[in-house]
Structure formats: C-alpha cells, structure tokens
Amino acid sequence: MQIIVFGTGYVGLVTGVCLAEIGHDILCIDTNQQKIDQLKSGISPIYEPGIEEKLKHSLNLGKLRFANNLDRVDEMTEALFICVGTPDDGSGKTNLEYVYSVADDIAEVINKSVPIFIKSTVPVGTCKILEDRINKKLISLRKKFQISVSSNPEFLKEGDAISDFLKPDRIIIGTNDDESFQIAQQIYQSFHRSNYRIIRMDPNSSEMTKYASNAFLATKISFMNQLSHLCDATGSDIDQIRSGMSLDPRIGKRFLYAGCGFGGSCFPKDIHSLISQSRELSVDLSILNEVLRSNEFQKNFFVEKVKELYGEDLKGQTFAIWGAAFKPETDDIREAPSLTIISSLIDLGATVNVYDPIAIDNLRDYFGDEDLLNYFNHFEEAAKGSEAVILVTEWKEFTNPDFDLLLKKMKGNTFFDGRNIYDPDLMANKGFRYFSIGRNDGR
C-alpha cells in the first residue's frame, strides 16, 4: 500500500521505517530540510537500536522516500499517518499546533477521500476536532468529498521501538468509520496473521487508552519508589518484596523496580496532559498529581543524602554521575533524573564528572558552557578523584566494573546506586559505603 507519514521524529521515523519493512511504499514528510537530507543519505537523526540498518535497507529497495513538502496526494495513496510532536505548552496542556498545521496542509493537497490515522499522542476528542476542521476546509475549497480521522496510538518503548512496532502486543484502531478500519486491517494484516490483537474502539476511547497506559505505568513506578522509603523505615527489602509481588498475575513483574525516578518524553508529558484534561472537565485525578510529586522527590533523594553526608557547601568536592539518559539504549535526556541531580550538585558548588555512552552530546547541548560540569569517555575515568559515584542509568557496561580499580581512582568510597544493580554485601566487602533504594544498606 502507498502511505504518507507526516513527521520524522521518534514516532514518525519508526512508523515509516517499520511500515516499509513490512512491504508498504512509504513517503515521509518533514519540514526540516536538514533532517530530510540526513534521512535520504541513510543517516538516522534519532538514536534507536536497529533503525539505521532498516532505514538504509528500505531506501535501497525504494520502499521508503523522504521529502520536505507535499504538493499533492497521489491518486494511489491509501492512508495518511500524522506523527508530529505534541509538546507540553508550558502549563501542562498539550500543544496541538503541529497537528493542526498538518491537517490544514492535507486539506490543501488532498484530491480524494483518504483515511487519516493519528499516531501522535493527542487529548481525547482530537480526532473529531481534526475531522471537522479538515472537512470544513474541504468545503471552503469546493472539494466534493469528506474524510475520516481515526486514532491509532503508538506504544513504543525507546530503546526497543523496532521490536515493539514489528511485534506489537496490541494494535488499537479508534474509528467510527468501517472503511477506515478495513484499510487499517490491510495495513497491519501481516501482524493479524501472526495473531497479534487488532482492537477496534471509538476514537475517544483509543485516545484515552494511550494516556491511561502511560499514566498507570508511571503510577506503578512511583508506588514502588514510595514503598522503598517505608522499607527503609521497617527493615524490609524492596527487591524481595518486588519478587513476591510480581508472581501475582494480577500485578505482573514489569515496572515494579524502585529507582531514582522516571523521565523521558512520554510519562511526564502525558500525565501533565491528562491532569490538564481532567481539570478542564472538573474531574478529580489527584492520584496523578501525587505520582508527579513523588517522582520529583525521588529524583532528589540522593541529592538529599549527599547533603546529609557532605553538607550543603560542596565547593572543592567532585561527584561522578554514571548515566545521563533517562533509560538505557537511548540518547534521550528529556526529564531525566540525571538533569535534576547534576543541576542540584552544581548549585551546591560541586564539580560534576559525567559519563554516558550515548547521551553526552545531548547533555552538552542542555547545560552549555557549565564550568563545573566535565564530560568523560569512560565511566571509571569519570570517577577519578570523586568523593562519590552516583549511578543514574543502568547501562549494561556498568554491570561488572573493576571495583578494586574504581576504589583506587576515587578520592572517597561512597557509591549511590540509583537502580539497585549491585549486591549490597559485595559492595560492602569491596570497601564501599554503599546506598541503594529501599534495601537497608547502611542507612
């Protein structure tokens, strides 16, 4: 099928590349000419394992094309996907500027009825608003057809997005239009043959499902983080508790790990948007306010511990940060706990040495010319001369460091494990003053 994808950001590029991978002819549109030039050369502007290989493969096969504008929608085009950004407008409300802009452009160039699917995360009711907006403009342009706008939310995890798209746990189509649903089934027919679930629901429910999924996962994380503090107070071990909880099929094992807080582009933004939507409708979703409050507390948890151990004047002292990305296998630092920790330590006068295998350039762009922040190419070198190491992101390369060498390089012997990846007894035996989350290791 011939499909046009609007937007080559994270969702748009993954969508375009993966739809081409399963045999569709894809044209991706983006107004950023520099990005389009990169993509035409087979260079991905985003870091995602496996995406550049598949990008080059589909380009070579002629299944994937890129352009910075669209003069017309080809008569053979069978579907349009909107995958542009929907950022927070600063108040928690979703900014739909880019979605509306694409909708207006589509109305200008479309010459027949083609179903539109929104993959961007949008507030409940957006499909209807967009459908009315486009159809009203079609009437003003004296075009004698109408279109249907449907919801097809993405459920992609950064670092594993290719697998998530090609091996989905569910495909949701929110539509009131039978023809749009049939076309969606054709687009995803290879998944349907593999017994992946294609679920049809109304557009509002589809849009809400995306928000509800992310908000619930964030709530699980914050619950475990709050419970970890009770574990410290009672002498319980959060890891043992997680093991006991996760065997209950009603609970499951995913997102039950205590740590130093969640980040990324999705969870914080989507929770803020859902709170904003509920506030506009005078509906109480206070639990999500607590999720956000708890998460900010968790990001500062080790900063407070540093202040307790070293005082609030950290001038002349150095602290090492291992991991800047909000999770492994991505270069995304948006809302990452590392940003809070680094900023707080610098505000207290500390020198901060940071290492991340992928996200260093993004961190440089974020902090600019900060005199107290140093960047390193190896995690052990970042720890040299430091009072303490703070592990923030659980990259695999941190799993088995040379602890004896590490201790020799450090000035102090304190280690803050923000992801509970090390054994407390091992760390104590190696000579570290070790702190993790909810495991009663020296508090």
Side-chain angles (χ1 to χ4, degrees), residues 89-123:
D89 71 354
S91 70
K93 189 174 182 178
T94 302
N95 181 351
L96 293 174
E97 171 189 355
Y98 305 115
V99 173
Y100 290 151
S101 178
V102 168
D104 293 342
D105 289 344
I106 289 173
E108 291 282 351
V109 300
I110 199 168
N111 291 312
K112 69 169 187 173
S113 182
V114 179
I116 297 173
F117 299 95
I118 302 180
K119 274 200 171 292
S120 303
T121 302
V122 294

Side-chain angles (χ1 to χ4, degrees), residues 213-214 217-218 221 255 262-272 292:
S213 297
N214 279 354
L217 295 177
I221 294 171
F255 290 83
F262 62 77
S265 63
C266 292
F267 284 7
K269 177 176 72 73
D270 290 355
I271 293 173
H272 279 296
L292 292 176

